[in-house]
Amino acid sequence: MPHATTTTVERGSRVLVTGANGFIASHTIYALLKAGYDVLGTVRSETKAAAIKATMRDLLPGQAHAFSTSVVTDITQSASYEDILKSYEPSAVLHLAAPFAYNVSNFEKDLMEPAVAGTTAVLTAALAAPSIRRVVHTNSFACIYDASLGMRPGYTYTAKDWCPLKYSDGVSAPAAPVAYRAAKAVAEKTAWSFMEEKKPHFDLISLCPAMVFGPFLNTPTSLPSSIKELNTSNQLVWDVLSAPDGKVPPTKGPVWIDVRDVADAHVTSLANAELSGRRLLLAKSVYCSQEIADVARKVLPSKLAQRVPVGEPGKREAASHFAIDASEEERLLASESKGWKDLDECIRDLGVQLFDIPQ
Ligand code: NDP
């Protein structure tokens, strides 16, 4: 990893955000614009460009001039970014474009290539862009968690841990979640190796969020038009809230953080010189499906709360698996003095939206 520098990307600077229409990226752009940055977001189509522009116009009418978009159809080619970087001259790149999907069949084409070649492409293009001082790479707890060691009760994962999965493990994975974890782990290692080999003029920060839950930006162009379009992580919450027969489904990936805190962490990491070359775990705490159900029944309006399965109230799974420690990251990156948002606030804000989205 590169040694610490004095790099900071201050408010007012230009920032390129890849995958701008995504769940985390849209919150991040909103947070960047509120903080006074100028943002160019890349998306795959003009339709998606129009939607994210309308979202930002609705939320921040006074700052519409500070947000523009560009269509990048193939994120695995560095040439896709060259003209954009040349004309926009950003000070930083936030690389969020990568698939987070389990409904895929060709693990190499659908998950590994966009994540891994997508990382090389954006870093290679950045090499030829002297304006760039910092790249923030959105990775995952998947890059940290080592499933081969089991659920490890008593063990505490931190940003010092590494997922051992390799490219070949992703290509021949037994199931999409394993391939996704391999894609994220290999993409992150690819980025650090690139930094080691090329010693570029910019620094790198790796953000590794746990499962990201939370509300969508509340505009007609950012709310999913049907439940089928839910992003992968919020789908886990909906699977609990909408489970039939009062039964709570099994927990998948028992570590979480609120999307608004992940967005703020992206913004905060730009202007903090101390974070240069750091790998940071973004995780509020462990959770289980039963906890989501219990919280939802407590915080949602009673008409909605009564639709949430009861399961076995109060039952928790924390003792059956690993813990996490991201307390240093919370201290460094949380924008509110109380720290990152708790599950009550997250499920209250998300749950109301979820019940309103057409089936
Ligand atoms: P979304 O699915 O909401 O957004 C993903 C973004 O990446 C979209 O803009 C999407 O474009 C783009 N993208 C996906 N696949 C491709 C591809 N093959 N070619 C070009 N663009 C592509 O996901 P999130 O916002 O949840 O995730 C954003 C990042 O955060 C990802 O890197 C993900 O791995 C990471 N992450 C997410 C977590 C979570 O719980 N949500 C947890 C940890 C990490 P389009 O809309 O056109 O498909």
Side-chain angles (χ1 to χ4, degrees), residues 254-272:
V255 195
W256 84 282
I257 184 163
D258 190 288
V259 67
R260 294 162 288 190
D261 291 321
V262 175
D264 283 349
H266 281 78
V267 179
T268 312
S269 67
L270 285 176
N272 187 334

mmCIF file with all atom_site columns, all heavy atoms in Angstrom, residues 254-272:
data_model
loop_
_atom_site.group_PDB
_atom_site.id
_atom_site.type_symbol
_atom_site.label_atom_id
_atom_site.label_alt_id
_atom_site.label_comp_id
_atom_site.label_asym_id
_atom_site.label_entity_id
_atom_site.label_seq_id
_atom_site.pdbx_PDB_ins_code
_atom_site.Cartn_x
_atom_site.Cartn_y
_atom_site.Cartn_z
_atom_site.occupancy
_atom_site.B_iso_or_equiv
_atom_site.pdbx_formal_charge
_atom_site.auth_seq_id
_atom_site.auth_comp_id
_atom_site.auth_asym_id
_atom_site.auth_atom_id
_atom_site.pdbx_PDB_model_num
ATOM 1   N N   . PRO A 1 254 ? -24.378 -11.291 7.903  1.00 0.00 ? 254 PRO A N   1
ATOM 2   C CA  . PRO A 1 254 ? -24.924 -10.688 9.133  1.00 0.00 ? 254 PRO A CA  1
ATOM 3   C C   . PRO A 1 254 ? -24.242 -9.405  9.595  1.00 0.00 ? 254 PRO A C   1
ATOM 4   O O   . PRO A 1 254 ? -24.125 -9.177  10.789 1.00 0.00 ? 254 PRO A O   1
ATOM 5   C CB  . PRO A 1 254 ? -24.689 -11.812 10.159 1.00 0.00 ? 254 PRO A CB  1
ATOM 6   C CG  . PRO A 1 254 ? -23.421 -12.462 9.691  1.00 0.00 ? 254 PRO A CG  1
ATOM 7   C CD  . PRO A 1 254 ? -23.428 -12.378 8.183  1.00 0.00 ? 254 PRO A CD  1
ATOM 8   N N   . VAL A 1 255 ? -23.807 -8.551  8.687  1.00 0.00 ? 255 VAL A N   1
ATOM 9   C CA  . VAL A 1 255 ? -23.154 -7.293  9.057  1.00 0.00 ? 255 VAL A CA  1
ATOM 10  C C   . VAL A 1 255 ? -23.752 -6.187  8.190  1.00 0.00 ? 255 VAL A C   1
ATOM 11  O O   . VAL A 1 255 ? -23.895 -6.371  6.987  1.00 0.00 ? 255 VAL A O   1
ATOM 12  C CB  . VAL A 1 255 ? -21.634 -7.346  8.780  1.00 0.00 ? 255 VAL A CB  1
ATOM 13  C CG1 . VAL A 1 255 ? -20.929 -6.221  9.498  1.00 0.00 ? 255 VAL A CG1 1
ATOM 14  C CG2 . VAL A 1 255 ? -21.039 -8.672  9.164  1.00 0.00 ? 255 VAL A CG2 1
ATOM 15  N N   . TRP A 1 256 ? -24.046 -5.033  8.769  1.00 0.00 ? 256 TRP A N   1
ATOM 16  C CA  . TRP A 1 256 ? -24.761 -4.012  7.989  1.00 0.00 ? 256 TRP A CA  1
ATOM 17  C C   . TRP A 1 256 ? -24.283 -2.597  8.290  1.00 0.00 ? 256 TRP A C   1
ATOM 18  O O   . TRP A 1 256 ? -23.619 -2.345  9.299  1.00 0.00 ? 256 TRP A O   1
ATOM 19  C CB  . TRP A 1 256 ? -26.270 -4.102  8.286  1.00 0.00 ? 256 TRP A CB  1
ATOM 20  C CG  . TRP A 1 256 ? -26.609 -3.333  9.535  1.00 0.00 ? 256 TRP A CG  1
ATOM 21  C CD1 . TRP A 1 256 ? -26.404 -3.733  10.828 1.00 0.00 ? 256 TRP A CD1 1
ATOM 22  C CD2 . TRP A 1 256 ? -27.131 -1.995  9.612  1.00 0.00 ? 256 TRP A CD2 1
ATOM 23  N NE1 . TRP A 1 256 ? -26.787 -2.732  11.703 1.00 0.00 ? 256 TRP A NE1 1
ATOM 24  C CE2 . TRP A 1 256 ? -27.228 -1.662  10.982 1.00 0.00 ? 256 TRP A CE2 1
ATOM 25  C CE3 . TRP A 1 256 ? -27.522 -1.066  8.655  1.00 0.00 ? 256 TRP A CE3 1
ATOM 26  C CZ2 . TRP A 1 256 ? -27.716 -0.418  11.422 1.00 0.00 ? 256 TRP A CZ2 1
ATOM 27  C CZ3 . TRP A 1 256 ? -28.000 0.181   9.098  1.00 0.00 ? 256 TRP A CZ3 1
ATOM 28  C CH2 . TRP A 1 256 ? -28.098 0.484   10.471 1.00 0.00 ? 256 TRP A CH2 1
ATOM 29  N N   . ILE A 1 257 ? -24.639 -1.662  7.413  1.00 0.00 ? 257 ILE A N   1
ATOM 30  C CA  . ILE A 1 257 ? -24.439 -0.223  7.638  1.00 0.00 ? 257 ILE A CA  1
ATOM 31  C C   . ILE A 1 257 ? -25.476 0.541   6.811  1.00 0.00 ? 257 ILE A C   1
ATOM 32  O O   . ILE A 1 257 ? -25.946 0.035   5.775  1.00 0.00 ? 257 ILE A O   1
ATOM 33  C CB  . ILE A 1 257 ? -23.003 0.218   7.284  1.00 0.00 ? 257 ILE A CB  1
ATOM 34  C CG1 . ILE A 1 257 ? -22.799 1.707   7.623  1.00 0.00 ? 257 ILE A CG1 1
ATOM 35  C CG2 . ILE A 1 257 ? -22.659 -0.050  5.815  1.00 0.00 ? 257 ILE A CG2 1
ATOM 36  C CD1 . ILE A 1 257 ? -21.347 2.141   7.704  1.00 0.00 ? 257 ILE A CD1 1
ATOM 37  N N   . ASP A 1 258 ? -25.820 1.757   7.257  1.00 0.00 ? 258 ASP A N   1
ATOM 38  C CA  . ASP A 1 258 ? -26.827 2.569   6.557  1.00 0.00 ? 258 ASP A CA  1
ATOM 39  C C   . ASP A 1 258 ? -26.195 3.258   5.336  1.00 0.00 ? 258 ASP A C   1
ATOM 40  O O   . ASP A 1 258 ? -25.072 3.780   5.402  1.00 0.00 ? 258 ASP A O   1
ATOM 41  C CB  . ASP A 1 258 ? -27.368 3.643   7.510  1.00 0.00 ? 258 ASP A CB  1
ATOM 42  C CG  . ASP A 1 258 ? -28.578 4.372   6.936  1.00 0.00 ? 258 ASP A CG  1
ATOM 43  O OD1 . ASP A 1 258 ? -28.406 5.184   5.987  1.00 0.00 ? 258 ASP A OD1 1
ATOM 44  O OD2 . ASP A 1 258 ? -29.698 4.124   7.429  1.00 0.00 ? 258 ASP A OD2 1
ATOM 45  N N   . VAL A 1 259 ? -26.950 3.292   4.252  1.00 0.00 ? 259 VAL A N   1
ATOM 46  C CA  . VAL A 1 259 ? -26.447 3.873   2.993  1.00 0.00 ? 259 VAL A CA  1
ATOM 47  C C   . VAL A 1 259 ? -26.031 5.331   3.152  1.00 0.00 ? 259 VAL A C   1
ATOM 48  O O   . VAL A 1 259 ? -25.083 5.798   2.518  1.00 0.00 ? 259 VAL A O   1
ATOM 49  C CB  . VAL A 1 259 ? -27.493 3.712   1.862  1.00 0.00 ? 259 VAL A CB  1
ATOM 50  C CG1 . VAL A 1 259 ? -28.756 4.547   2.117  1.00 0.00 ? 259 VAL A CG1 1
ATOM 51  C CG2 . VAL A 1 259 ? -26.895 4.041   0.507  1.00 0.00 ? 259 VAL A CG2 1
ATOM 52  N N   . ARG A 1 260 ? -26.719 6.080   4.030  1.00 0.00 ? 260 ARG A N   1
ATOM 53  C CA  . ARG A 1 260 ? -26.379 7.494   4.190  1.00 0.00 ? 260 ARG A CA  1
ATOM 54  C C   . ARG A 1 260 ? -25.013 7.652   4.851  1.00 0.00 ? 260 ARG A C   1
ATOM 55  O O   . ARG A 1 260 ? -24.274 8.590   4.561  1.00 0.00 ? 260 ARG A O   1
ATOM 56  C CB  . ARG A 1 260 ? -27.493 8.195   4.990  1.00 0.00 ? 260 ARG A CB  1
ATOM 57  C CG  . ARG A 1 260 ? -28.803 8.209   4.192  1.00 0.00 ? 260 ARG A CG  1
ATOM 58  C CD  . ARG A 1 260 ? -30.014 8.467   5.065  1.00 0.00 ? 260 ARG A CD  1
ATOM 59  N NE  . ARG A 1 260 ? -30.339 7.325   5.926  1.00 0.00 ? 260 ARG A NE  1
ATOM 60  C CZ  . ARG A 1 260 ? -31.461 7.226   6.642  1.00 0.00 ? 260 ARG A CZ  1
ATOM 61  N NH1 . ARG A 1 260 ? -32.362 8.203   6.598  1.00 0.00 ? 260 ARG A NH1 1
ATOM 62  N NH2 . ARG A 1 260 ? -31.676 6.163   7.415  1.00 0.00 ? 260 ARG A NH2 1
ATOM 63  N N   . ASP A 1 261 ? -24.663 6.696   5.715  1.00 0.00 ? 261 ASP A N   1
ATOM 64  C CA  . ASP A 1 261 ? -23.331 6.740   6.333  1.00 0.00 ? 261 ASP A CA  1
ATOM 65  C C   . ASP A 1 261 ? -22.251 6.318   5.340  1.00 0.00 ? 261 ASP A C   1
ATOM 66  O O   . ASP A 1 261 ? -21.135 6.830   5.377  1.00 0.00 ? 261 ASP A O   1
ATOM 67  C CB  . ASP A 1 261 ? -23.307 5.854   7.578  1.00 0.00 ? 261 ASP A CB  1
ATOM 68  C CG  . ASP A 1 261 ? -24.158 6.432   8.694  1.00 0.00 ? 261 ASP A CG  1
ATOM 69  O OD1 . ASP A 1 261 ? -24.145 7.675   8.863  1.00 0.00 ? 261 ASP A OD1 1
ATOM 70  O OD2 . ASP A 1 261 ? -24.853 5.670   9.377  1.00 0.00 ? 261 ASP A OD2 1
ATOM 71  N N   . VAL A 1 262 ? -22.582 5.379   4.454  1.00 0.00 ? 262 VAL A N   1
ATOM 72  C CA  . VAL A 1 262 ? -21.614 4.972   3.430  1.00 0.00 ? 262 VAL A CA  1
ATOM 73  C C   . VAL A 1 262 ? -21.356 6.151   2.484  1.00 0.00 ? 262 VAL A C   1
ATOM 74  O O   . VAL A 1 262 ? -20.212 6.439   2.114  1.00 0.00 ? 262 VAL A O   1
ATOM 75  C CB  . VAL A 1 262 ? -22.125 3.733   2.664  1.00 0.00 ? 262 VAL A CB  1
ATOM 76  C CG1 . VAL A 1 262 ? -21.184 3.375   1.514  1.00 0.00 ? 262 VAL A CG1 1
ATOM 77  C CG2 . VAL A 1 262 ? -22.271 2.550   3.612  1.00 0.00 ? 262 VAL A CG2 1
ATOM 78  N N   . ALA A 1 263 ? -22.415 6.846   2.117  1.00 0.00 ? 263 ALA A N   1
ATOM 79  C CA  . ALA A 1 263 ? -22.259 8.016   1.236  1.00 0.00 ? 263 ALA A CA  1
ATOM 80  C C   . ALA A 1 263 ? -21.387 9.078   1.916  1.00 0.00 ? 263 ALA A C   1
ATOM 81  O O   . ALA A 1 263 ? -20.436 9.596   1.321  1.00 0.00 ? 263 ALA A O   1
ATOM 82  C CB  . ALA A 1 263 ? -23.636 8.595   0.897  1.00 0.00 ? 263 ALA A CB  1
ATOM 83  N N   . ASP A 1 264 ? -21.684 9.360   3.175  1.00 0.00 ? 264 ASP A N   1
ATOM 84  C CA  . ASP A 1 264 ? -20.880 10.359  3.903  1.00 0.00 ? 264 ASP A CA  1
ATOM 85  C C   . ASP A 1 264 ? -19.425 9.929   4.002  1.00 0.00 ? 264 ASP A C   1
ATOM 86  O O   . ASP A 1 264 ? -18.514 10.760  3.936  1.00 0.00 ? 264 ASP A O   1
ATOM 87  C CB  . ASP A 1 264 ? -21.428 10.562  5.323  1.00 0.00 ? 264 ASP A CB  1
ATOM 88  C CG  . ASP A 1 264 ? -22.671 11.418  5.333  1.00 0.00 ? 264 ASP A CG  1
ATOM 89  O OD1 . ASP A 1 264 ? -22.993 12.032  4.292  1.00 0.00 ? 264 ASP A OD1 1
ATOM 90  O OD2 . ASP A 1 264 ? -23.342 11.470  6.379  1.00 0.00 ? 264 ASP A OD2 1
ATOM 91  N N   . ALA A 1 265 ? -19.202 8.626   4.170  1.00 0.00 ? 265 ALA A N   1
ATOM 92  C CA  . ALA A 1 265 ? -17.816 8.129   4.280  1.00 0.00 ? 265 ALA A CA  1
ATOM 93  C C   . ALA A 1 265 ? -17.053 8.391   2.985  1.00 0.00 ? 265 ALA A C   1
ATOM 94  O O   . ALA A 1 265 ? -15.862 8.723   3.002  1.00 0.00 ? 265 ALA A O   1
ATOM 95  C CB  . ALA A 1 265 ? -17.824 6.638   4.610  1.00 0.00 ? 265 ALA A CB  1
ATOM 96  N N   . HIS A 1 266 ? -17.744 8.239   1.842  1.00 0.00 ? 266 HIS A N   1
ATOM 97  C CA  . HIS A 1 266 ? -17.087 8.549   0.564  1.00 0.00 ? 266 HIS A CA  1
ATOM 98  C C   . HIS A 1 266 ? -16.673 10.025  0.517  1.00 0.00 ? 266 HIS A C   1
ATOM 99  O O   . HIS A 1 266 ? -15.591 10.363  0.073  1.00 0.00 ? 266 HIS A O   1
ATOM 100 C CB  . HIS A 1 266 ? -18.021 8.236   -0.613 1.00 0.00 ? 266 HIS A CB  1
ATOM 101 C CG  . HIS A 1 266 ? -18.089 6.774   -0.953 1.00 0.00 ? 266 HIS A CG  1
ATOM 102 N ND1 . HIS A 1 266 ? -18.821 5.872   -0.229 1.00 0.00 ? 266 HIS A ND1 1
ATOM 103 C CD2 . HIS A 1 266 ? -17.487 6.051   -1.933 1.00 0.00 ? 266 HIS A CD2 1
ATOM 104 C CE1 . HIS A 1 266 ? -18.692 4.663   -0.757 1.00 0.00 ? 266 HIS A CE1 1
ATOM 105 N NE2 . HIS A 1 266 ? -17.881 4.743   -1.796 1.00 0.00 ? 266 HIS A NE2 1
ATOM 106 N N   . VAL A 1 267 ? -17.561 10.892  0.990  1.00 0.00 ? 267 VAL A N   1
ATOM 107 C CA  . VAL A 1 267 ? -17.275 12.332  0.951  1.00 0.00 ? 267 VAL A CA  1
ATOM 108 C C   . VAL A 1 267 ? -16.151 12.667  1.937  1.00 0.00 ? 267 VAL A C   1
ATOM 109 O O   . VAL A 1 267 ? -15.171 13.326  1.589  1.00 0.00 ? 267 VAL A O   1
ATOM 110 C CB  . VAL A 1 267 ? -18.546 13.154  1.282  1.00 0.00 ? 267 VAL A CB  1
ATOM 111 C CG1 . VAL A 1 267 ? -18.237 14.645  1.268  1.00 0.00 ? 267 VAL A CG1 1
ATOM 112 C CG2 . VAL A 1 267 ? -19.651 12.833  0.284  1.00 0.00 ? 267 VAL A CG2 1
ATOM 113 N N   . THR A 1 268 ? -16.287 12.162  3.173  1.00 0.00 ? 268 THR A N   1
ATOM 114 C CA  . THR A 1 268 ? -15.295 12.466  4.203  1.00 0.00 ? 268 THR A CA  1
ATOM 115 C C   . THR A 1 268 ? -13.908 11.993  3.796  1.00 0.00 ? 268 THR A C   1
ATOM 116 O O   . THR A 1 268 ? -12.900 12.637  4.083  1.00 0.00 ? 268 THR A O   1
ATOM 117 C CB  . THR A 1 268 ? -15.687 11.782  5.537  1.00 0.00 ? 268 THR A CB  1
ATOM 118 O OG1 . THR A 1 268 ? -17.052 12.060  5.788  1.00 0.00 ? 268 THR A OG1 1
ATOM 119 C CG2 . THR A 1 268 ? -14.850 12.288  6.694  1.00 0.00 ? 268 THR A CG2 1
ATOM 120 N N   . SER A 1 269 ? -13.850 10.847  3.126  1.00 0.00 ? 269 SER A N   1
ATOM 121 C CA  . SER A 1 269 ? -12.539 10.280  2.790  1.00 0.00 ? 269 SER A CA  1
ATOM 122 C C   . SER A 1 269 ? -11.791 11.149  1.771  1.00 0.00 ? 269 SER A C   1
ATOM 123 O O   . SER A 1 269 ? -10.571 11.069  1.677  1.00 0.00 ? 269 SER A O   1
ATOM 124 C CB  . SER A 1 269 ? -12.692 8.851   2.276  1.00 0.00 ? 269 SER A CB  1
ATOM 125 O OG  . SER A 1 269 ? -13.355 8.857   1.039  1.00 0.00 ? 269 SER A OG  1
ATOM 126 N N   . LEU A 1 270 ? -12.511 11.986  1.043  1.00 0.00 ? 270 LEU A N   1
ATOM 127 C CA  . LEU A 1 270 ? -11.835 12.830  0.044  1.00 0.00 ? 270 LEU A CA  1
ATOM 128 C C   . LEU A 1 270 ? -10.943 13.893  0.681  1.00 0.00 ? 270 LEU A C   1
ATOM 129 O O   . LEU A 1 270 ? -9.853  14.170  0.195  1.00 0.00 ? 270 LEU A O   1
ATOM 130 C CB  . LEU A 1 270 ? -12.881 13.548  -0.826 1.00 0.00 ? 270 LEU A CB  1
ATOM 131 C CG  . LEU A 1 270 ? -13.592 12.710  -1.873 1.00 0.00 ? 270 LEU A CG  1
ATOM 132 C CD1 . LEU A 1 270 ? -14.639 13.552  -2.568 1.00 0.00 ? 270 LEU A CD1 1
ATOM 133 C CD2 . LEU A 1 270 ? -12.594 12.144  -2.874 1.00 0.00 ? 270 LEU A CD2 1
ATOM 134 N N   . ALA A 1 271 ? -11.429 14.472  1.773  1.00 0.00 ? 271 ALA A N   1
ATOM 135 C CA  . ALA A 1 271 ? -10.746 15.653  2.308  1.00 0.00 ? 271 ALA A CA  1
ATOM 136 C C   . ALA A 1 271 ? -9.839  15.330  3.486  1.00 0.00 ? 271 ALA A C   1
ATOM 137 O O   . ALA A 1 271 ? -9.328  16.231  4.135  1.00 0.00 ? 271 ALA A O   1
ATOM 138 C CB  . ALA A 1 271 ? -11.781 16.696  2.712  1.00 0.00 ? 271 ALA A CB  1
ATOM 139 N N   . ASN A 1 272 ? -9.629  14.044  3.763  1.00 0.00 ? 272 ASN A N   1
ATOM 140 C CA  . ASN A 1 272 ? -8.822  13.662  4.929  1.00 0.00 ? 272 ASN A CA  1
ATOM 141 C C   . ASN A 1 272 ? -7.470  13.108  4.480  1.00 0.00 ? 272 ASN A C   1
ATOM 142 O O   . ASN A 1 272 ? -7.383  12.006  3.932  1.00 0.00 ? 272 ASN A O   1
ATOM 143 C CB  . ASN A 1 272 ? -9.606  12.616  5.738  1.00 0.00 ? 272 ASN A CB  1
ATOM 144 C CG  . ASN A 1 272 ? -8.925  12.295  7.047  1.00 0.00 ? 272 ASN A CG  1
ATOM 145 O OD1 . ASN A 1 272 ? -7.711  12.431  7.167  1.00 0.00 ? 272 ASN A OD1 1
ATOM 146 N ND2 . ASN A 1 272 ? -9.706  11.870  8.021  1.00 0.00 ? 272 ASN A ND2 1
#
